[in-house]
Structure formats: structure tokens, C-alpha cells
Amino acid sequence: MAEKQEEPSNTQNGEADNAEEGEEKKKKKVKREDLPPFEIVTGERLPAIFFKFQFRNVEYSSGRNKTFLCYVLETQGKESATSRGYLEDEHAAAHAEMAFFSSILPRCEPGLRYQVTWYVSSSPCVACADRIAETLRRSSSLRLSILVGRLFMWEEPEVRAALQRLRAAGCKLRIMKPQDFEYVWQHFVEPEEGEEAKAFVPWEDIQENFNYYEEKLAEILQ
């Protein structure tokens, strides 16, 4: 007669389960800690579908919780040079404007002069506007022009004040015209599959929305 194998007790089962659960939690914790708190996406050209949705200059930007920043960095001096690229974020932590100063600007050589142009899906928030203004005040060798598709929360007094401080610091701020959207399409957007030379097709209300935002920005900066 074979001996009956002793079943582990409930206590032993519970201890094993708790140990496994604790180990699993520890692994998950380590994985979370190893990951950066926020990732900024960078590249030379962004997908056309992102451009068509995120850059559209609609009055109500529902669902557009990212900032896309396309930049042209021109080095001015004996050996002039131009570089381009884009940064993408989500409105959760570091924004694309902040990422430019932490990842792109440090590559610039001290002593040279730089002209930077941003084409941004929406205008900066208060924190970003103040960071930009502070950077411009500290760096006499940097000139910045920002062209925005939409105004972010422009009705809020603190946002309006931040944009005013931005201009006072020497930043040139204006709304993107239809021609500017076409420029971004040509220089910063990946060709759609099978349509390498497809021309930019303006959306129906692009001029009307430009006029709307241009008027609002003029009111803010007057």
C-alpha cells in the first residue's frame, strides 16, 4: 500500500503565496523605478496622422493632450549651420518646450549665436513660458521665435500674463499662418506611404481659425 503524500498545510500554502506575491511586487517596483518618469520622443520627421490631428488649429482642442514642437536651429558665425528636428510630449510632466532646453540647447557651443524657430501645436503653459523667458534673459546669444497653431487656455489671466512676460523677454510670438503649416508639412512630416510627393492640403477652416487666434493674441499682447 502506497503511502499517502502529505498535502501542504493551508499555512504553508499561504506563506508560499505571500512570498511569491511579495517577490512579484518587488519585481514590479524595480521595473517601475528603472523606467524614466517621463519620456520625450524626438526625431527628424513626425507621422502625417499626428500632424493632421495635433497641429490642426481648431478652437476647441479636445483630445489633443500632446505638444509637438518642430524646431529649426541656426548657428550664426564663421561656419553657419542649420539643424532641424521635433520633440513630442504628453501633458503629464516635462513638456516639449522644457525638453528642448534640457536636451537640444546644451549641445550648442558657448560663444556662438543662435537663431531658433519653433513651430508648436499650441502655445506654452505658464511654467514653460516663464522658463523660456528666464532662459532668454540669461542668454544674450539666443534669439527665439515661436509660431503656434493654437493658443493654450488663452482666456486664463495667468496664461495671458505669462505670454506677455514671454514677449517682454524678447521672444517673437505669433500664430501659424496657412503657409507655416505647409512649411511644417514639407520639412517635418514623414511622407505618407506610397505618396512621397503629396502636397499639403489645407483643412477647410484653416484661414478662419488663423484669423481667430491672431485676433486673440493681438488682444493679449497689446
Side-chain angles (χ1 to χ4, degrees):
M1 183 176 175
E3 291 185 10
K4 183 178 179 181
Q5 187 172 357
E6 184 177 350
E7 294 288 336
S9 67
N10 291 337
T11 302
Q12 289 174 323
N13 281 336
E15 289 176 352
D17 290 344
N18 288 339
E20 289 179 7
E21 185 178 346
E23 188 65 26
E24 187 65 25
K25 285 182 178 178
K26 186 185 293 184
K27 288 179 181 178
K28 288 181 178 178
K29 183 178 180 182
V30 170
K31 287 179 181 178
R32 282 196 295 268
E33 290 175 350
D34 287 344
L35 292 173
F38 188 76
E39 183 179 1
I40 295 290
V41 178
T42 63
E44 293 183 4
R45 289 181 177 265
L46 57 100
I49 190 171
F50 289 172
F51 169 81
K52 290 178 180 179
F53 181 71
Q54 297 289 350
F55 268 91
R56 187 157 181 159
N57 59 349
V58 291
E59 182 179 352
Y60 300 104
S61 55
S62 177
R64 293 169 173 83
N65 60 345
K66 290 176 177 281
T67 296
F68 282 81
L69 186 158
C70 301
Y71 66 86
V72 179
L73 176 62
E74 298 175 87
T75 306
Q76 300 173 338
K78 292 182 179 179
E79 296 183 6
S80 299
T82 300
S83 61
R84 305 173 190 272
Y86 87 93
L87 301 98
E88 165 196 343
D89 71 21
E90 293 181 0
H91 290 167
H95 291 178
E97 298 93 335
M98 298 287 196
F100 181 88
F101 291 125
S102 61
S103 62
I104 306 299
L105 199 60
R107 303 176 194 170
C108 298
E109 295 182 27
L112 297 179
R113 301 183 68 84
Y114 294 91
Q115 174 65 51
V116 180
T117 304
W118 289 354
Y119 300 86
V120 195
S121 54
S122 64
S123 59
C125 66
V126 173
C128 287
D130 285 341
R131 169 67 186 279
I132 296 166
E134 178 188 352
T135 302
L136 291 175
R137 283 193 294 266
R138 287 191 288 104
S139 178
S140 59
S141 61
L142 178 64
R143 295 289 181 270
L144 176 64
S145 298
I146 304 178
L147 288 70
V148 301
R150 304 183 303 275
L151 290 176
F152 173 72
M153 298 181 67
W154 63 269
E155 295 167 312
E156 300 295 329
E158 59 269 27
V159 172
R160 298 167 73 94
L163 294 180
Q164 291 166 2
R165 292 193 293 272
L166 193 57
R167 187 186 63 170
C171 178
K172 295 180 179 178
L173 181 65
R174 71 172 177 84
I175 305 299
M176 288 177 65
K177 301 176 181 178
Q179 304 94 294
D180 298 316
F181 289 104
E182 182 175 10
Y183 177 85
V184 172
W185 174 266
Q186 292 174 346
H187 294 89
F188 294 99
V189 178
E190 294 175 353
E192 295 183 281
E193 190 174 348
E195 304 180 40
E196 291 188 10
K198 185 174 180 180
F200 172 67
V201 179
W203 43 92
E204 184 179 354
D205 51 359
I206 188 171
Q207 182 66 48
E208 179 184 346
N209 292 342
F210 161 70
N211 294 338
Y212 171 82
Y213 279 123
E214 185 181 45
E215 180 181 341
K216 298 305 177 187
L217 182 60
E219 291 176 2
I220 294 170
L221 300 181
Q222 66 183 0

